[in-house]
Amino acid sequence: MKAPARIALAAVGLLALTSAVVAWLNLRGEAPLRADVQAASDAATVARGAYLARIGNCAACHTARGGAPYAGGRGIETPFGVVYASNLTPDPATGLGRWSADAFWRAMHHGRSADGRLLYPAFPYPNYTLVTREDSDALFAFLRQVPAVRQRNAPHALRFPYNTQIALAVWRALYFRPARFRPDAAQTVELNRGSYLVRGLGHCEACHAPRNLLGATQDAGALAGGLIPMQRWYAPSLAASSEAGLADWSVEEITALLTTGVAPRASVMGPMADVVFRSTQYLTEADARAMAVYLQGLRTQAPVARRFVAADPAVLQAGEALYRDQCAACHGAQGEGVPGMYPALAGNRAVTLHAPNNVVRAVLYGGFPPATNGNPRPFGMPPFLHSLSDDEVAQVATYIRQSWEHRATLVSAVDVRRAR
């Protein structure tokens, strides 16, 4: 056999071997679907499933604006294109009506649809894989009880090659492993419950973890902070004292933030406000406390040393004038705020994060903490999108980040344009 033929044969063999390994990695641990397994449908199981759906914030993605609950159709923007959420209602033609409890479990645990297709991880099965079979069955029982809606799933609008099952299979082979939640015997039952909720259904890592160029989360479990790409918000580290670390907070303070959106030392805005509004305000007292205990106990991350560059005095002077005219009436001349109404900016970690996205977006678009049972009429902030130029937003943001002993990075007009 001539050399070119041997090379071609070797290449074919290598491709076949690689394909077999990728296929095995995508199918390992899966059991055949059992059509004869009946899901429980008693009232207690359905009620429990409804509560778990709240914790997982399922409706947020699977309900289009103005659409029927859980009927899908909402587009989830990703760096690779748009993924459209599927119909979870029990319609037999377009929803889950012909699914079995086993098929639903396989989707949650293995990220594979009832028809065998690999699912995109915009559906956070890399986190949901930790959900127990019992909780999966309760969720399925609840979804079987919501009103059926006949609405076909919209095809995803992903760029090549991300729109292929082959590319998704390779991604999964590299980054996804089905797993089960294993309690830490050295920890309390309460902390383990919090770990299960935060890492599983709560899928906090989906936002609060960095991602690589292919969208896979890094530093699993560390909650080290990450940029939410298409929303241009930065989800801060929940373990670093310089960001949103909670080690020195009381459990009661953390619980208040999760269930009301406000606490003595912080309030939530942006994507987290939506999470509190739709999901965590409905936590039971025990589950909210368990999550707080787990978050309080995260391994503390040392702050990253960053070189401080002072702003040009002219920039600070311009920013101070803007702050005095536009901001001081609510936030105070020295950034002291008004307790219970307007947050203090002096000493506020949210305005000194290494990524300036959040403070810039707050200035541009304003916003409110969520309306919750514990805080039904939150005070909000007006948008300055149309009244301040990019340069002016950069100046006032820089002033806030470098006043009152703050030593955060400068904000440029380019940063503002990127955050829009």
Side-chain angles (χ1 to χ4, degrees), residues 150-244:
R150 185 171 292 259
Q151 178 171 288
R152 294 196 176 278
N153 294 320
H156 303 315
L158 294 164
R159 297 188 303 279
F160 181 82
Y162 311 112
N163 60 348
T164 67
Q165 287 280 291
I166 292 174
L168 182 54
V170 172
W171 185 93
R172 287 163 51 96
L174 291 171
Y175 301 117
F176 174 64
R177 301 286 185 277
R180 295 181 185 276
F181 178 76
R182 302 190 185 281
D184 185 343
Q187 301 295 340
T188 65
V189 171
E190 184 177 52
L191 188 143
N192 276 308
R193 173 65 176 172
S195 174
Y196 173 72
L197 294 172
V198 168
R199 297 168 56 209
L201 272 176
H203 62 285
C204 303
E205 183 183 274
C207 291
H208 289 278
R211 294 180 180 269
N212 64 21
L213 291 176
L214 293 178
T217 55
Q218 299 172 295
D219 299 326
L223 298 176
L227 183 67
I228 307 174
M230 307 312 292
Q231 298 187 36
R232 296 296 182 184
W233 283 88
Y234 175 72
S237 168
L238 299 181
S241 59
S242 59
E243 296 198 7

Side-chain angles (χ1 to χ4, degrees), residues 86-100:
S86 58
N87 185 346
L88 297 185
T89 74
D91 178 67
T94 63
L96 303 183
R98 295 177 181 169
W99 283 47
S100 65

